[in-house]
Coordinates of all heavy atoms in Angstrom, one line a residue:
M261 N 2.7 3.7 -19.6 CA 2.6 3.9 -18.2 C 1.2 4.3 -17.9 O 0.7 5.2 -18.6 CB 3.6 4.8 -17.8 CG 3.5 5.1 -16.3 SD 4.8 6.4 -15.7 CE 6.0 6.7 -16.9
K262 N 0.6 3.8 -17.0 CA -0.8 4.0 -16.6 C -0.9 4.9 -15.4 O 0.1 5.2 -14.6 CB -1.7 2.8 -16.5 CG -1.9 1.9 -17.7 CD -2.8 0.9 -17.4 CE -2.9 0.0 -18.8 NZ -3.8 -1.1 -18.7
E263 N -2.0 5.5 -15.1 CA -2.2 6.2 -13.7 C -2.1 5.3 -12.7 O -2.6 4.3 -12.7 CB -3.5 7.1 -13.9 CG -3.5 8.0 -15.1 CD -2.5 9.2 -14.8 OE1 -2.4 9.7 -13.8 OE2 -2.0 9.6 -15.9
W264 N -1.8 6.0 -11.5 CA -1.7 5.4 -10.1 C -3.2 5.2 -9.7 O -4.1 6.1 -9.9 CB -1.0 6.1 -9.1 CG 0.4 6.3 -9.3 CD1 1.1 7.4 -9.9 CD2 1.3 5.3 -9.0 NE1 2.4 7.1 -10.0 CE2 2.7 5.9 -9.3 CE3 1.4 4.1 -8.4 CZ2 3.9 5.2 -9.1 CZ3 2.6 3.4 -8.2 CH2 3.8 4.0 -8.5
K265 N -3.5 3.9 -9.2 CA -4.8 3.7 -8.6 C -4.7 3.0 -7.3 O -3.7 2.3 -7.1 CB -5.7 2.9 -9.6 CG -5.0 1.6 -9.9 CD -5.9 0.7 -10.8 CE -5.2 -0.6 -11.0 NZ -5.8 -1.4 -12.0
Q266 N -5.8 3.1 -6.4 CA -5.6 2.4 -5.1 C -5.8 0.9 -5.3 O -6.6 0.4 -6.1 CB -6.7 3.0 -4.2 CG -6.5 2.3 -2.8 CD -7.6 2.9 -1.8 OE1 -8.7 2.7 -2.1 NE2 -7.1 3.6 -0.8
E267 N -5.1 0.1 -4.6 CA -5.1 -1.3 -4.7 C -5.2 -1.9 -3.3 O -4.5 -1.3 -2.4 CB -3.8 -1.8 -5.3 CG -3.8 -3.4 -5.4 CD -2.6 -4.0 -6.2 OE1 -1.7 -3.1 -6.5 OE2 -2.5 -5.1 -6.3
R268 N -5.9 -2.9 -3.0 CA -6.1 -3.5 -1.8 C -5.7 -5.0 -1.9 O -6.1 -5.6 -2.8 CB -7.5 -3.4 -1.2 CG -8.0 -2.0 -1.0 CD -9.4 -1.8 -0.7 NE -9.8 -0.6 -0.3 CZ -9.7 0.1 0.9 NH1 -9.1 -0.6 1.8 NH2 -10.1 1.2 1.1
C269 N -4.9 -5.5 -1.1 CA -4.5 -6.9 -1.1 C -4.5 -7.5 0.2 O -4.4 -6.9 1.4 CB -2.9 -6.9 -1.4 SG -2.5 -5.9 -3.0
A270 N -4.8 -8.9 0.3 CA -5.0 -9.6 1.3 C -3.6 -9.9 2.0 O -3.5 -10.1 3.3 CB -5.6 -10.9 1.1
Q271 N -2.5 -10.0 1.2 CA -1.1 -10.1 1.6 C -0.3 -8.9 1.3 O -0.6 -8.2 0.3 CB -0.6 -11.4 1.0 CG -1.3 -12.7 1.5 CD -0.8 -13.9 0.7 OE1 0.1 -13.8 -0.1 NE2 -1.4 -15.1 1.0
Q272 N 0.9 -8.8 2.0 CA 1.7 -7.6 1.6 C 2.2 -7.8 0.2 O 2.9 -8.9 -0.2 CB 2.9 -7.6 2.5 CG 3.8 -6.4 2.2 CD 5.0 -6.3 3.4 OE1 5.1 -7.2 4.2 NE2 5.7 -5.2 3.2
P273 N 2.1 -6.8 -0.6 CA 2.5 -7.0 -2.0 C 3.9 -6.6 -2.2 O 4.5 -5.8 -1.4 CB 1.5 -6.0 -2.7 CG 1.3 -4.9 -1.8 CD 1.3 -5.7 -0.4
E274 N 4.5 -7.0 -3.3 CA 5.8 -6.5 -3.7 C 5.8 -5.0 -4.3 O 4.8 -4.7 -4.9 CB 6.4 -7.5 -4.8 CG 6.5 -8.9 -4.3 CD 7.0 -9.8 -5.4 OE1 7.9 -9.3 -6.2 OE2 6.5 -10.8 -5.5
A275 N 6.8 -4.3 -4.0 CA 6.9 -3.0 -4.6 C 7.0 -3.0 -6.1 O 6.4 -2.0 -6.7 CB 8.0 -2.2 -4.0
L276 N 7.5 -4.0 -6.6 CA 7.7 -4.2 -8.0 C 7.5 -5.6 -8.4 O 8.2 -6.5 -7.9 CB 9.1 -3.7 -8.6 CG 9.3 -3.7 -10.1 CD1 8.4 -2.6 -10.7 CD2 10.8 -3.4 -10.4
Q277 N 6.6 -5.9 -9.4 CA 6.1 -7.3 -9.7 C 6.1 -7.5 -11.0 O 5.3 -6.6 -11.8 CB 4.9 -7.6 -8.9 CG 4.2 -9.1 -9.3 CD 3.0 -9.2 -8.6 OE1 2.3 -8.4 -7.9 NE2 2.5 -10.4 -8.8
R278 N 6.8 -8.4 -11.7 CA 6.7 -8.5 -13.2 C 5.5 -9.4 -13.4 O 5.3 -10.5 -12.8 CB 8.0 -9.2 -13.6 CG 8.1 -9.1 -15.1 CD 9.5 -9.5 -15.6 NE 9.9 -9.0 -16.8 CZ 11.0 -8.6 -17.3 NH1 12.0 -8.8 -16.5 NH2 11.1 -7.9 -18.4
I279 N 4.6 -8.8 -14.3 CA 3.3 -9.6 -14.8 C 3.4 -10.2 -16.1 O 2.6 -10.9 -16.4 CB 2.1 -8.7 -14.4 CG1 2.1 -7.4 -15.3 CG2 1.9 -8.4 -13.0 CD1 1.0 -6.7 -15.3
S280 N 4.5 -9.7 -16.9 CA 4.6 -10.3 -18.2 C 6.0 -10.0 -18.7 O 6.8 -9.3 -17.9 CB 3.5 -9.8 -19.2 OG 3.9 -8.4 -19.5
N281 N 6.4 -10.4 -19.9 CA 7.8 -10.1 -20.2 C 8.1 -8.7 -20.4 O 9.3 -8.3 -20.2 CB 8.1 -10.8 -21.6 CG 8.2 -12.3 -21.6 OD1 8.4 -12.8 -20.5 ND2 8.0 -13.0 -22.7
D282 N 7.2 -7.9 -20.7 CA 7.5 -6.4 -20.8 C 6.6 -5.5 -19.9 O 6.5 -4.3 -20.3 CB 7.2 -6.1 -22.3 CG 5.8 -6.4 -22.8 OD1 5.0 -7.0 -22.0 OD2 5.4 -5.8 -23.9
T283 N 6.0 -6.0 -18.9 CA 5.3 -5.2 -18.1 C 5.5 -5.6 -16.6 O 5.4 -6.7 -16.2 CB 3.6 -5.4 -18.2 OG1 3.5 -5.3 -19.7 CG2 2.8 -4.4 -17.6
Y284 N 5.5 -4.4 -15.7 CA 5.6 -4.5 -14.3 C 4.3 -4.0 -13.7 O 3.6 -3.3 -14.3 CB 6.7 -3.6 -13.6 CG 8.2 -4.2 -13.9 CD1 9.0 -3.4 -14.5 CD2 8.5 -5.4 -13.3 CE1 10.3 -3.8 -14.7 CE2 9.8 -5.9 -13.6 CZ 10.7 -5.0 -14.2 OH 12.0 -5.5 -14.3
I285 N 3.9 -4.4 -12.4 CA 3.1 -3.6 -11.5 C 4.0 -3.1 -10.5 O 4.8 -3.6 -9.8 CB 2.1 -4.5 -10.8 CG1 1.0 -5.0 -11.8 CG2 1.3 -3.7 -9.7 CD1 0.0 -5.9 -11.2
Q286 N 3.9 -1.7 -10.5 CA 4.8 -0.9 -9.5 C 3.8 -0.4 -8.5 O 2.8 0.2 -8.8 CB 5.4 0.3 -10.3 CG 6.4 1.1 -9.4 CD 6.9 2.3 -10.2 OE1 6.3 2.9 -11.2 NE2 8.0 2.8 -9.8
R287 N 4.3 -0.5 -7.2 CA 3.5 0.0 -6.1 C 4.3 0.9 -5.2 O 5.5 0.8 -5.0 CB 3.1 -1.3 -5.2 CG 2.2 -2.2 -6.0 CD 1.8 -3.4 -5.1 NE 0.9 -4.4 -5.9 CZ 1.3 -5.4 -6.5 NH1 2.5 -5.7 -6.6 NH2 0.4 -6.2 -7.2
R288 N 3.5 1.8 -4.6 CA 4.1 2.9 -3.7 C 3.2 3.0 -2.4 O 1.9 2.7 -2.5 CB 4.4 4.1 -4.3 CG 3.1 4.9 -4.9 CD 3.4 6.2 -5.5 NE 2.3 6.9 -5.9 CZ 2.2 7.9 -6.7 NH1 3.4 8.5 -7.2 NH2 1.1 8.6 -7.0
D289 N 3.7 3.5 -1.5 CA 2.9 3.9 -0.2 C 2.2 2.7 0.3 O 1.0 2.7 0.6 CB 1.9 5.0 -0.5 CG 2.6 6.2 -0.9 OD1 3.7 6.6 -0.4 OD2 2.1 7.0 -1.7
I290 N 2.9 1.6 0.4 CA 2.2 0.3 0.9 C 2.1 0.4 2.4 O 3.1 0.6 3.1 CB 3.2 -0.9 0.5 CG1 3.4 -0.9 -1.0 CG2 2.6 -2.2 1.0 CD1 4.4 -2.1 -1.5
Q291 N 0.9 0.2 2.8 CA 0.6 0.3 4.2 C -0.3 -0.8 4.7 O -1.3 -1.2 4.0 CB -0.2 1.6 4.5 CG 0.6 2.8 4.2 CD 0.0 4.2 4.4 OE1 -1.2 4.2 5.1 NE2 0.6 5.3 4.0
E292 N -0.1 -1.3 6.0 CA -0.9 -2.4 6.6 C -2.0 -1.6 7.4 O -1.8 -0.7 8.0 CB 0.0 -3.2 7.6 CG -0.8 -4.3 8.1 CD 0.1 -5.1 9.0 OE1 1.2 -4.6 9.4 OE2 -0.3 -6.3 9.3
V293 N -3.3 -2.1 6.9 CA -4.5 -1.5 7.6 C -5.2 -2.7 8.4 O -5.6 -3.7 7.8 CB -5.4 -0.9 6.5 CG1 -6.6 -0.3 7.2 CG2 -4.6 0.3 5.8
T294 N -5.4 -2.4 9.6 CA -6.2 -3.3 10.4 C -7.6 -2.8 10.7 O -7.7 -1.7 11.0 CB -5.5 -3.6 11.8 OG1 -4.2 -4.0 11.5 CG2 -6.3 -4.7 12.6
H295 N -8.6 -3.7 10.5 CA -10.1 -3.3 10.7 C -10.6 -4.0 11.8 O -10.2 -5.3 11.9 CB -10.8 -3.7 9.3 CG -10.5 -2.9 8.1 ND1 -10.8 -1.7 7.8 CD2 -9.5 -3.3 7.1 CE1 -10.2 -1.3 6.7 NE2 -9.4 -2.3 6.3
E296 N -11.3 -3.4 12.6 CA -11.8 -3.9 13.8 C -13.1 -4.9 13.4 O -13.7 -4.6 12.4 CB -12.3 -2.9 14.8 CG -11.1 -1.9 15.3 CD -10.2 -2.7 16.1 OE1 -10.7 -3.6 16.9 OE2 -9.0 -2.5 16.1
A297 N -13.5 -5.7 14.1 CA -14.7 -6.5 13.9 C -15.9 -5.7 14.1 O -15.9 -4.7 15.1 CB -14.7 -7.6 15.0
D298 N -17.0 -5.9 13.3 CA -18.2 -5.0 13.4 C -19.3 -6.0 13.6 O -19.9 -6.6 12.7 CB -18.4 -4.2 12.2 CG -19.5 -3.4 12.3 OD1 -20.4 -3.5 13.1 OD2 -19.7 -2.4 11.3
E299 N -19.8 -6.3 14.8 CA -20.8 -7.2 15.1 C -22.1 -6.8 14.4 O -22.8 -7.7 14.0 CB -21.0 -7.3 16.7 CG -19.8 -7.9 17.4 CD -20.2 -8.0 18.9 OE1 -21.2 -7.8 19.3 OE2 -19.0 -8.2 19.5
E300 N -22.4 -5.5 14.4 CA -23.7 -5.1 13.7 C -23.6 -5.4 12.2 O -24.8 -6.0 11.7 CB -23.9 -3.6 13.8 CG -24.1 -3.2 15.3 CD -24.3 -1.6 15.3 OE1 -24.6 -1.1 14.3 OE2 -24.2 -1.1 16.5
A301 N -22.5 -5.4 11.6 CA -22.4 -5.7 10.1 C -22.1 -7.2 9.9 O -22.2 -7.7 8.9 CB -21.4 -4.8 9.5
G302 N -21.8 -7.7 11.0 CA -21.4 -9.2 11.0 C -20.1 -9.5 10.3 O -19.8 -10.6 9.8
T303 N -19.1 -8.5 10.5 CA -17.9 -8.8 9.9 C -16.7 -9.1 11.1 O -16.9 -8.7 12.2 CB -17.3 -7.6 9.1 OG1 -17.4 -6.5 9.9 CG2 -18.3 -7.4 7.9
E304 N -15.9 -10.0 10.7 CA -14.7 -10.2 11.7 C -13.7 -9.1 11.6 O -13.6 -8.6 10.4 CB -14.3 -11.5 11.5 CG -15.2 -12.7 11.9 CD -14.8 -14.1 11.6 OE1 -13.4 -14.2 11.7 OE2 -15.5 -15.0 11.7
A305 N -12.8 -9.1 12.4 CA -11.5 -8.2 12.3 C -10.7 -8.7 11.2 O -10.6 -10.0 11.1 CB -10.7 -8.1 13.6
Y306 N -10.0 -7.9 10.5 CA -9.1 -8.4 9.4 C -8.1 -7.3 9.1 O -8.2 -6.2 9.4 CB -9.9 -8.8 8.0 CG -10.5 -7.6 7.4 CD1 -9.9 -7.1 6.4 CD2 -11.8 -7.2 7.8 CE1 -10.6 -5.9 5.6 CE2 -12.3 -6.1 7.1 CZ -11.7 -5.5 6.1 OH -12.4 -4.4 5.5
T307 N -7.0 -7.7 8.5 CA -5.9 -6.9 8.1 C -5.7 -7.0 6.5 O -6.0 -8.0 5.9 CB -4.6 -7.3 8.7 OG1 -4.8 -7.2 10.2 CG2 -3.5 -6.4 8.3
E308 N -5.5 -5.9 6.0 CA -5.3 -5.7 4.6 C -4.1 -4.7 4.2 O -3.7 -4.1 5.2 CB -6.5 -5.4 3.7 CG -7.0 -3.9 3.9 CD -8.2 -3.5 3.2 OE1 -8.6 -4.2 2.3 OE2 -8.7 -2.4 3.6
W309 N -3.8 -4.8 3.0 CA -2.6 -3.9 2.6 C -3.1 -3.0 1.7 O -3.8 -3.5 0.6 CB -1.4 -4.8 2.0 CG -0.8 -5.6 3.1 CD1 -1.1 -6.9 3.4 CD2 0.3 -5.3 3.8 NE1 -0.3 -7.4 4.4 CE2 0.5 -6.4 4.8 CE3 1.1 -4.1 3.9 CZ2 1.6 -6.4 5.8 CZ3 2.1 -4.3 4.9 CH2 2.4 -5.2 5.8
V310 N -3.0 -1.8 1.7 CA -3.4 -0.8 0.9 C -2.2 0.1 0.3 O -1.3 0.4 1.0 CB -4.4 0.3 1.5 CG1 -4.9 1.3 0.6 CG2 -5.6 -0.5 2.3
C311 N -2.3 0.2 -1.1 CA -1.3 1.0 -1.7 C -1.7 1.6 -3.0 O -2.9 1.5 -3.3 CB 0.0 0.0 -2.1 SG -0.5 -1.2 -3.2
E312 N -0.9 2.3 -3.7 CA -1.2 2.9 -5.0 C -0.3 2.0 -6.0 O 0.7 1.6 -5.6 CB -0.8 4.3 -5.1 CG -1.5 5.3 -4.4 CD -1.2 6.7 -4.6 OE1 0.0 7.0 -4.5 OE2 -2.2 7.5 -4.9
S313 N -0.9 1.7 -7.1 CA -0.3 0.8 -8.0 C -0.5 1.3 -9.4 O -1.5 2.0 -9.8 CB -0.6 -0.7 -7.9 OG -2.0 -0.8 -8.4
R314 N 0.4 0.9 -10.3 CA 0.2 1.2 -11.7 C 0.9 0.2 -12.7 O 1.8 -0.5 -12.1 CB 0.7 2.5 -12.1 CG 2.2 2.6 -12.1 CD 2.5 4.1 -12.5 NE 4.0 4.4 -12.2 CZ 4.7 5.4 -12.5 NH1 4.0 6.5 -12.7 NH2 5.9 5.5 -12.3
E315 N 0.4 -0.1 -13.8 CA 1.3 -0.9 -14.8 C 2.2 0.0 -15.5 O 1.9 1.1 -15.9 CB 0.4 -1.5 -15.7 CG -0.5 -2.6 -15.2 CD -1.4 -3.4 -16.2 OE1 -1.1 -3.3 -17.4 OE2 -2.4 -4.1 -15.8
I316 N 3.4 -0.5 -15.7 CA 4.5 0.1 -16.3 C 5.4 -0.8 -17.1 O 5.7 -1.9 -16.6 CB 5.2 1.0 -15.3 CG1 6.4 1.9 -15.8 CG2 5.9 0.1 -14.2 CD1 7.1 2.8 -15.0
G317 N 5.8 -0.3 -18.2 CA 6.5 -1.1 -19.1 C 7.9 -1.2 -18.6 O 8.4 -0.4 -17.8
V318 N 8.5 -2.4 -18.9 CA 10.0 -2.6 -18.5 C 10.8 -1.5 -18.8 O 11.6 -1.0 -18.1 CB 10.5 -4.0 -18.9 CG1 11.9 -4.2 -18.6 CG2 9.6 -5.2 -18.3
S319 N 10.9 -1.1 -20.2 CA 11.6 0.0 -20.6 C 11.4 1.3 -19.9 O 12.3 2.0 -19.7 CB 11.5 0.2 -22.2 OG 10.2 0.4 -22.6
E320 N 10.0 1.7 -19.7 CA 9.7 2.7 -19.0 C 10.3 2.8 -17.6 O 10.9 3.8 -17.1 CB 8.1 3.0 -18.9 CG 7.5 3.3 -20.3 CD 6.0 3.2 -20.1 OE1 5.5 2.3 -19.6 OE2 5.4 4.2 -20.5
Y321 N 10.2 1.7 -16.9 CA 10.7 1.5 -15.6 C 12.3 1.8 -15.5 O 12.7 2.5 -14.7 CB 10.3 0.2 -15.0 CG 10.9 0.1 -13.7 CD1 10.3 0.8 -12.5 CD2 12.1 -0.8 -13.5 CE1 10.8 0.5 -11.3 CE2 12.6 -1.0 -12.2 CZ 12.0 -0.2 -11.1 OH 12.7 -0.5 -9.9
E322 N 12.9 1.1 -16.5 CA 14.4 1.3 -16.5 C 14.7 2.7 -16.9 O 15.8 3.2 -16.3 CB 15.0 0.4 -17.5 CG 14.8 -1.1 -17.3 CD 15.2 -2.2 -18.2 OE1 15.4 -1.8 -19.4 OE2 15.2 -3.2 -17.9
M323 N 14.0 3.4 -17.7 CA 14.3 4.8 -18.0 C 14.2 5.6 -16.8 O 15.0 6.4 -16.4 CB 13.5 5.4 -19.0 CG 13.7 6.7 -19.4 SD 12.5 7.4 -20.6 CE 11.0 7.4 -19.5
L324 N 13.0 5.4 -16.0 CA 12.8 6.2 -14.7 C 13.9 6.0 -13.8 O 14.3 6.9 -13.1 CB 11.4 5.9 -14.2 CG 10.1 6.3 -14.9 CD1 8.9 5.8 -14.3 CD2 10.2 8.0 -15.0
K325 N 14.3 4.8 -13.6 CA 15.3 4.3 -12.7 C 16.6 5.0 -13.0 O 17.4 5.5 -12.1 CB 15.6 3.0 -12.5 CG 14.4 2.2 -11.9 CD 14.0 2.7 -10.5 CE 15.0 2.3 -9.4 NZ 14.7 2.9 -8.1
S326 N 17.0 5.1 -14.3 CA 18.2 5.8 -14.7 C 18.1 7.4 -14.5 O 19.2 7.9 -14.1 CB 18.5 5.5 -16.1 OG 17.6 6.0 -17.1
V327 N 17.0 8.0 -14.6 CA 16.8 9.4 -14.3 C 17.0 9.6 -12.8 O 17.7 10.6 -12.4 CB 15.4 9.8 -14.8 CG1 15.2 11.3 -14.3 CG2 15.5 9.9 -16.4
E328 N 16.4 8.7 -12.1 CA 16.5 8.9 -10.5 C 18.0 8.8 -10.1 O 18.4 9.4 -9.2 CB 15.7 7.8 -9.8 CG 14.2 8.1 -9.8 CD 13.3 6.9 -9.3 OE1 13.9 6.0 -8.8 OE2 12.2 6.9 -9.4
E329 N 18.7 8.0 -10.9 CA 20.2 7.8 -10.4 C 21.1 8.8 -10.8 O 22.3 8.9 -10.2 CB 20.7 6.5 -10.9 CG 20.0 5.3 -10.4 CD 20.4 4.0 -11.1 OE1 21.2 3.9 -12.1 OE2 19.8 2.8 -10.7
I330 N 20.7 9.7 -11.6 CA 21.5 10.9 -11.9 C 21.6 11.8 -10.7 O 20.7 12.2 -10.0 CB 20.8 11.8 -13.1 CG1 20.7 10.9 -14.3 CG2 21.6 13.1 -13.3 CD1 20.0 11.6 -15.5
N331 N 22.9 12.1 -10.5 CA 23.3 12.9 -9.3 C 23.1 14.4 -9.9 O 24.0 14.9 -10.5 CB 24.6 12.7 -8.7 CG 24.9 13.4 -7.5 OD1 24.5 14.6 -7.4 ND2 25.8 13.0 -6.7
T332 N 22.2 15.1 -9.6 CA 21.8 16.3 -10.1 C 22.9 17.5 -9.7 O 23.4 18.3 -10.5 CB 20.5 16.9 -9.6 OG1 19.5 15.9 -10.1 CG2 20.2 18.2 -10.3
Q333 N 23.2 17.4 -8.5 CA 24.2 18.4 -8.0 C 25.6 18.1 -8.7 O 26.3 19.1 -9.1 CB 24.4 18.4 -6.4 CG 25.3 19.5 -5.8 CD 24.8 20.8 -6.3 OE1 23.6 21.1 -6.1 NE2 25.7 21.7 -6.9
K334 N 26.0 16.9 -8.9 CA 27.3 16.6 -9.5 C 27.2 17.0 -11.0 O 28.1 17.5 -11.4 CB 27.6 15.1 -9.4 CG 29.0 14.7 -10.1 CD 29.2 13.2 -9.9 CE 30.6 12.8 -10.5 NZ 31.1 13.7 -11.5
A335 N 26.1 16.8 -11.6 CA 25.9 17.3 -13.1 C 26.1 18.8 -13.1 O 26.8 19.3 -14.0 CB 24.6 16.8 -13.5
I336 N 25.5 19.5 -12.2 CA 25.6 21.0 -12.1 C 27.0 21.4 -11.9 O 27.6 22.3 -12.6 CB 24.7 21.6 -11.1 CG1 23.2 21.5 -11.6 CG2 25.0 23.0 -10.8 CD1 22.2 21.7 -10.4
D337 N 27.7 20.8 -10.9 CA 29.0 21.1 -10.6 C 30.0 20.8 -11.9 O 30.9 21.6 -12.1 CB 29.6 20.3 -9.4 CG 28.9 20.7 -8.1 OD1 28.2 21.9 -8.2 OD2 29.0 19.9 -7.1
D338 N 29.8 19.7 -12.4 CA 30.6 19.3 -13.7 C 30.3 20.2 -14.8 O 31.4 20.7 -15.4 CB 30.3 17.9 -14.1 CG 30.7 16.8 -13.1 OD1 31.6 17.2 -12.2 OD2 30.4 15.7 -13.3
Y339 N 29.2 20.8 -15.0 CA 28.8 21.8 -16.0 C 29.4 23.0 -15.7 O 30.1 23.7 -16.6 CB 27.4 21.8 -16.3 CG 27.0 22.8 -17.3 CD1 27.1 22.4 -18.7 CD2 26.2 23.8 -17.1 CE1 26.9 23.2 -19.8 CE2 25.9 24.9 -18.1 CZ 26.2 24.4 -19.4 OH 25.7 25.2 -20.4
T340 N 29.3 23.5 -14.4 CA 30.0 24.8 -14.0 C 31.5 24.7 -14.3 O 32.1 25.6 -14.7 CB 29.6 25.0 -12.5 OG1 28.2 25.1 -12.4 CG2 30.2 26.4 -12.1
E341 N 32.2 23.6 -13.9 CA 33.5 23.6 -14.0 C 33.9 23.6 -15.4 O 34.8 24.2 -15.8 CB 34.0 22.2 -13.3 CG 35.5 22.0 -13.5 CD 36.0 20.7 -12.8 OE1 35.3 20.2 -11.9 OE2 37.0 20.2 -13.2
M342 N 33.1 23.0 -16.3 CA 33.4 23.1 -17.7 C 33.4 24.4 -18.3 O 34.2 24.9 -19.0 CB 32.4 22.0 -18.5 CG 32.7 22.0 -20.1 SD 31.4 21.1 -21.0 CE 30.1 22.4 -20.9
L343 N 32.3 25.2 -17.9 CA 32.2 26.6 -18.3 C 33.3 27.4 -17.8 O 33.8 28.2 -18.6 CB 30.8 27.0 -17.9 CG 29.5 26.5 -18.5 CD1 28.3 27.1 -17.7 CD2 29.5 26.7 -19.9
M344 N 33.8 27.1 -16.6 CA 34.9 27.9 -16.0 C 36.2 27.5 -16.8 O 36.9 28.5 -17.2 CB 35.0 27.6 -14.6 CG 34.0 28.1 -13.7 SD 33.9 27.7 -12.0 CE 35.6 27.9 -11.4
E345 N 36.3 26.4 -17.2 CA 37.6 26.0 -18.0 C 37.6 26.6 -19.3 O 38.6 26.9 -19.9 CB 37.8 24.4 -18.0 CG 38.0 23.7 -16.8 CD 38.0 22.2 -16.8 OE1 37.5 21.6 -17.9 OE2 38.2 21.6 -15.9
E346 N 36.5 26.7 -19.8 CA 36.3 27.2 -21.3 C 36.2 28.9 -21.1 O 36.2 29.5 -22.2 CB 35.0 26.8 -22.0 CG 35.0 25.3 -22.1 CD 33.8 24.7 -22.9 OE1 32.9 25.5 -23.1 OE2 33.8 23.5 -23.1
G347 N 36.3 29.4 -20.0 CA 36.2 30.9 -19.9 C 35.0 31.4 -20.1 O 35.0 32.6 -20.2
I348 N 34.0 30.7 -20.1 CA 32.6 31.4 -20.1 C 32.1 31.9 -18.7 O 31.5 33.0 -18.8 CB 31.6 30.3 -20.7 CG1 32.0 29.8 -22.1 CG2 30.2 30.8 -20.7 CD1 31.3 28.7 -22.6
L349 N 32.7 31.4 -17.6 CA 32.3 32.0 -16.4 C 33.5 32.5 -15.6 O 34.6 32.1 -15.9 CB 31.7 30.9 -15.4 CG 30.3 30.4 -15.9 CD1 29.7 29.4 -14.8 CD2 29.3 31.5 -15.8

């Protein structure tokens, strides 16, 4: 897994894009940014998409998703109930 870096795109990017059999590009904080025309600089108005992105392995991504899916409060409640049943609490 690599560090997050800023990415600029001409079109709205996907939040998760597979780039090889074992690698994704993961994106977050995807925002549309509109730039005004600047006659002095000779540029026209344009819109771009700015986000943070990183490369992440498929197995790393799946591990992170499984960790996110853990219901922490339920795990704590289940553990507390187990301790109570065993007479520890």
Side-chain angles (χ1 to χ4, degrees):
M261 180 177 351
K262 296 185 179 180
E263 295 296 315
W264 292 99
K265 62 181 181 180
Q266 187 178 59
E267 179 180 6
R268 296 176 177 277
C269 305
Q271 299 176 356
Q272 183 175 7
E274 299 175 39
L276 187 66
Q277 178 183 2
R278 195 169 207 149
I279 58 173
S280 72
N281 286 341
D282 60 349
T283 307
Y284 286 119
I285 292 181
Q286 184 181 28
R287 296 181 177 95
R288 66 181 181 189
D289 301 328
I290 301 170
Q291 298 178 12
E292 183 178 19
V293 179
T294 302
H295 299 275
E296 301 292 325
D298 185 346
E299 292 180 21
E300 290 179 19
T303 59
E304 296 182 15
Y306 67 98
T307 299
E308 66 179 344
W309 295 86
V310 179
C311 62
E312 291 183 312
S313 67
R314 68 178 175 186
E315 289 185 15
I316 184 171
V318 171
S319 61
E320 291 172 308
Y321 176 76
E322 290 171 355
M323 180 188 67
L324 289 173
K325 291 307 287 179
S326 66
V327 168
E328 288 175 2
E329 291 173 0
I330 294 173
N331 183 333
T332 306
Q333 189 58 51
K334 182 175 178 347
I336 291 169
D337 292 345
D338 290 347
Y339 183 66
T340 302
E341 183 179 333
M342 181 189 76
L343 292 175
M344 289 171 49
E345 287 174 357
E346 293 177 3
I348 297 172
L349 289 181

